[in-house]
Amino acid sequence: MDVAYVLYPNMTALDLVGPFEVLGCVPVVSPRFVARTLDPVRSDNGLTVVPTDTFDTLKSADVVVVPGSGHWREVLRESAELVAWLREVHPTTKWTTSVCTGSTLLAEAGVVTKATTHWAAREDLTVRGVEACTDRVVFDGKVVTGAGVSAGIDMALQLVEREFGTAVAQTVQVGIEYDPQPPHAYDSIPPEVTQNLRSLFAASQS
């Protein structure tokens, strides 16, 4: 099973690496890394990934994984080639997936009708005619979207279960010791934290 991970400047590394590690635990999965050119691609926090394929050379994939970015509106403005590739490759896939704001690129390509994304980017789905959901993982036909950043692991585990069965998904989950125990419950975090983040995100888009 070929899995094409989409690369572009300022992508969020965990959006890519989370699903890559989960899916990579399944022996039949072969990763590909596709970008506009074969030049190394730098993530928003500095991780650099070397593509194996370009949008011109890779025309089909069993699975496509589109990471998001904290600079998603800038990415949307500069993503014409990526979006065109998504439209072209989507009919060939068994699963087209995204993590975090990667779903806004699927929305821009017109290949999804219902999706989740990072909480700060839901309006960017709705303005593109996509039903924005608050669930951590959303299946919309063969399109699977994960919410913000860390949800890429959940998305990939659910995809493994759909494709290979519960026992394989459980094996992968135990193998990567995925048992989240964050220091703060979501409902205990003060609202000003979210507001401060909104301001930071807004500043990053300008």
Side-chain angles (χ1 to χ4, degrees):
M1 173 179 282
D2 287 336
V3 179
Y5 297 90
V6 177
L7 309 179
Y8 58 85
N10 281 324
M11 63 186 178
T12 297
L14 184 56
D15 292 5
L16 175 81
V17 174
F20 169 75
E21 289 295 338
V22 170
L23 295 170
C25 291
V26 182
V28 299
V29 170
S30 299
R32 311 283 287 273
F33 299 93
V34 60
R36 187 176 63 84
T37 72
L38 292 177
D39 295 332
V41 180
R42 187 181 186 277
S43 74
D44 50 8
N45 284 327
L47 179 72
T48 300
V49 184
V50 179
T52 59
D53 300 271
T54 70
F55 299 143
D56 289 331
T57 61
L58 186 64
K59 297 300 185 180
S60 66
D62 298 311
V63 180
V64 168
V65 179
V66 184
S69 170
H71 307 271
W72 70 94
R73 289 180 184 143
E74 178 184 345
V75 169
L76 282 165
R77 290 192 296 268
E78 299 174 357
S79 64
E81 289 177 85
L82 191 164
V83 168
W85 182 81
L86 288 172
R87 288 196 193 105
E88 182 178 8
V89 77
H90 177 65
T92 76
T93 69
K94 186 169 185 179
W95 301 101
T96 299
T97 77
S98 69
V99 182
C100 195
T101 58
S103 60
T104 64
L105 290 164
L106 299 185
E108 186 74 7
V111 302
V112 65
T113 59
K114 180 174 67 174
T116 189
T117 192
H118 191 282
W119 54 263
R122 289 173 190 149
E123 66 182 69
D124 295 276
L125 290 179
T126 58
V127 299
R128 289 168 173 81
V130 174
E131 178 185 348
C133 303
T134 60
D135 296 339
R136 194 152 172 85
V137 179
V138 171
F139 280 76
D140 178 33
K142 71 172 187 174
V143 179
V144 193
T145 54
V149 192
S150 61
I153 297 173
D154 303 68
M155 182 277 291
L157 282 169
Q158 290 199 32
L159 186 60
V160 168
E161 183 157 15
R162 291 284 185 104
E163 191 65 28
F164 302 106
T166 299
V168 175
Q170 290 173 335
T171 300
V172 172
Q173 183 173 338
V174 173
I176 65 172
E177 201 170 347
Y178 184 58
D179 184 21
Q181 299 175 38
H184 303 284
Y186 241 48
D187 57 8
S188 72
I189 296 174
E192 56 265 28
V193 172
T194 300
Q195 292 304 318
N196 290 339
L197 280 169
R198 285 191 185 277
S199 298
L200 289 171
F201 286 137
S204 74
Q205 308 300 324
S206 59

